[in-house]
Amino acid sequence: REAAGQAYFDRIISEDSRIEPRDWMPAAYRKTLLRQISQHAHSEIIGMQPEANWITRAPSLKRKSILMAKVQDEAGHGLYLYSAAETLGQSRDQMMEDLIAGKARYSSIFNYPTISWADMGAIGWLVDGAAICNQVPLCRASYGPYGRAMVRICKEESFHQRQGFEILLELSNGTPAQKQMAQDAVNRWYAPSLMMFGPPDDDSPNSKQSMAWNIKRFSNDELRSRFVGMMVEQVKVLGLTLPDKDIRFNEETKKWEHGPLDWNEFKEVLAGRGPCNSQRIERRREAHENGAWVREAAVAYARKQAEKVNA
Ligand code: ACO
């Protein structure tokens, strides 16, 4: 059965078709998907915090409703992704426990503080921009539930990016102090957003196998380079600059290049020593504990409904 399963799996992958939850799959494929999808789900959930920090201080009612809707969208993304991960056999409770115990990874980017309103613009433009660049190819991931979840997520991310761009554009066209605030936010978020794509290719242990399995379609450096190429044009429209004097288009390789990134900082953040790591996990734990009564009520309600049907 194992051999037949492997042959089926190999054929599906070589045809660039999709593996579904009930199909046989190699244990390592399941493990890598669980790793990536759960980390992705955690990122969406932890990613609500830096922006939630500004909901009460949004500069107008309109901005406040947009920001609330955006943060709710991120919660929704986390939920689709937890559902996709559950189809691989891991319970949501277990994933949540790992997250609040500090055992699970989530994106490095969400361990940086949001210190001004312009950070809402920079997150939307740069962070969600990087997320789209990384996630559009994931819509074609070989695992069905993951690819399908990504389609909807990417549509919403596009809207998020536009709203971030628009916040920065308005600030950039505002008073000199507002323009400075926008530039400062771009300066702080630029390098961390480039690091979202993961370590350089020669230091990325998972890429090769994930690409062979059609989970990842492009390498970390390839996507990072594309992202720089997109941002370098958009920043001109904003009337701002990217804090990187080394950006250039390499005519020989036909790729965008950027200046050096501080990979030590990246490793520190991954090791739990970024500016906000402990605060993010603490807040998540608190929210989870405070939400216990909602989960209990939902279970009690479901039980009652089931009893009614069975009665
Ligand atoms: N933040 C935290 N951890 C990271 C990051 C990052 N930006 N980049 C890489 N890592 C981790 C990997 O998870 C891996 O750790 P593990 O082996 O302990 O699981 C390790 O660093 C080595 O990296 P790679 O071998 O390059 O790992 P991988 O092939 O999984 O590539 C990537 C990393 C590109 C992030 C991939 O997992 C991916 O595309 N994930 C889906 C997208 C995603 O999670 N986005 C979250 C942020 S976007 C948002 O939520 C708005």
Side-chain angles (χ1 to χ4, degrees):
R1 188 165 173 270
E2 180 102 356
Q6 182 73 51
Y8 175 78
F9 177 83
D10 292 345
R11 184 167 57 78
I12 293 287
I13 297 297
S14 70
E15 286 172 354
D16 204 353
S17 196
R18 277 196 153 149
I19 297 293
E20 295 298 337
R22 288 199 182 90
D23 294 340
W24 185 92
M25 61 186 94
Y29 175 82
R30 185 184 297 275
K31 191 169 164 214
T32 224
L33 277 170
L34 247 180
R35 180 184 65 78
Q36 177 164 331
I37 303 174
S38 63
Q39 288 176 359
H40 194 165
H42 295 325
S43 304
E44 301 283 357
I45 296 298
I46 296 287
M48 294 166 73
Q49 293 184 39
E51 288 172 289
N53 183 32
W54 280 89
I55 290 176
T56 54
R57 291 174 288 170
S60 70
L61 185 60
K62 184 179 125 197
R63 293 288 183 200
K64 184 172 173 145
S65 9
I66 294 172
L67 190 60
M68 275 171 66
K70 178 183 189 284
V71 172
Q72 282 176 4
D73 285 352
E74 308 295 354
H77 298 174
L79 299 185
Y80 310 148
L81 287 164
Y82 283 128
S83 298
E86 279 180 315
T87 64
L88 291 157
Q90 169 98 270
S91 77
R92 192 177 298 210
D93 285 348
Q94 184 60 51
M95 288 185 267
M96 196 47 73
E97 252 171 53
D98 289 348
L99 177 64
I100 58 186
K103 286 195 228 154
R105 284 204 195 290
Y106 57 87
S107 183
S108 49
I109 194 74
F110 301 120
N111 293 303
Y112 291 86
T114 43
I115 60 182
S116 80
W117 169 252
D119 287 15
M120 299 305 98
I123 289 184
W125 180 53
L126 288 168
V127 175
D128 295 325
I132 295 168
C133 211
N134 163 267
Q135 290 171 19
V136 165
L138 291 174
C139 296
R140 294 190 290 121
S142 56
Y143 189 57
Y146 191 34
R148 288 188 289 271
M150 291 320 299
V151 173
R152 179 140 174 209
I153 291 177
C154 284
K155 284 185 185 158
E156 292 179 355
E157 292 294 2
S158 304
F159 158 72
H160 295 170
Q161 197 208 12
R162 293 298 292 264
Q163 69 87 40
F165 183 87
E166 206 254 338
I167 290 176
L168 289 178
L169 188 64
E170 191 150 321
L171 289 173
S172 178
N173 290 325
T175 65
Q178 286 171 328
K179 182 164 185 172
Q180 183 50 42
M181 183 164 75
Q183 183 64 58
D184 170 65
V186 170
N187 292 349
R188 280 179 293 106
W189 289 93
Y190 170 74
S193 72
L194 259 56
M195 293 184 196
M196 284 172 70
F197 293 93
D201 291 350
D202 54 14
D203 198 19
S204 163
N206 301 301
S207 281
K208 199 163 164 266
Q209 182 62 73
S210 289
M211 287 172 74
W213 277 329
N214 297 340
I215 298 172
K216 281 168 91 161
R217 297 285 174 163
F218 301 100
S219 76
N220 298 355
D221 285 334
E222 168 70 30
L223 291 174
R224 189 166 16 248
S225 151
R226 287 188 186 190
F227 176 64
V228 169
M230 278 161 51
M231 295 296 119
V232 86
E233 291 304 320
Q234 294 181 14
V235 79
K236 293 181 196 157
V237 184
L238 287 174
L240 300 171
T241 54
L242 293 175
D244 185 347
K245 57 181 179 6
D246 295 326
I247 295 180
R248 67 174 195 120
F249 186 71
N250 183 327
E251 284 295 345
E252 270 168 40
T253 59
K254 303 281 176 223
K255 286 192 197 318
W256 283 94
E257 291 174 359
H258 55 81
L261 292 167
D262 184 352
W263 292 109
N264 268 338
E265 175 182 310
F266 178 74
K267 285 182 182 148
E268 281 295 292
V269 174
L270 260 62
R273 293 186 291 268
C276 300
N277 294 57
S278 48
Q279 180 188 329
R280 298 288 185 244
I281 295 295
E282 186 52 40
R283 181 73 199 91
R284 182 65 240 150
R285 185 181 305 124
E286 244 172 53
H288 188 69
E289 283 164 8
N290 291 340
W293 69 272
V294 180
R295 293 188 295 277
E296 283 160 21
V299 170
Y301 179 76
R303 195 182 306 123
K304 271 194 203 162
Q305 293 303 103
E307 277 165 12
K308 263 192 216 162
V309 173
N310 293 336

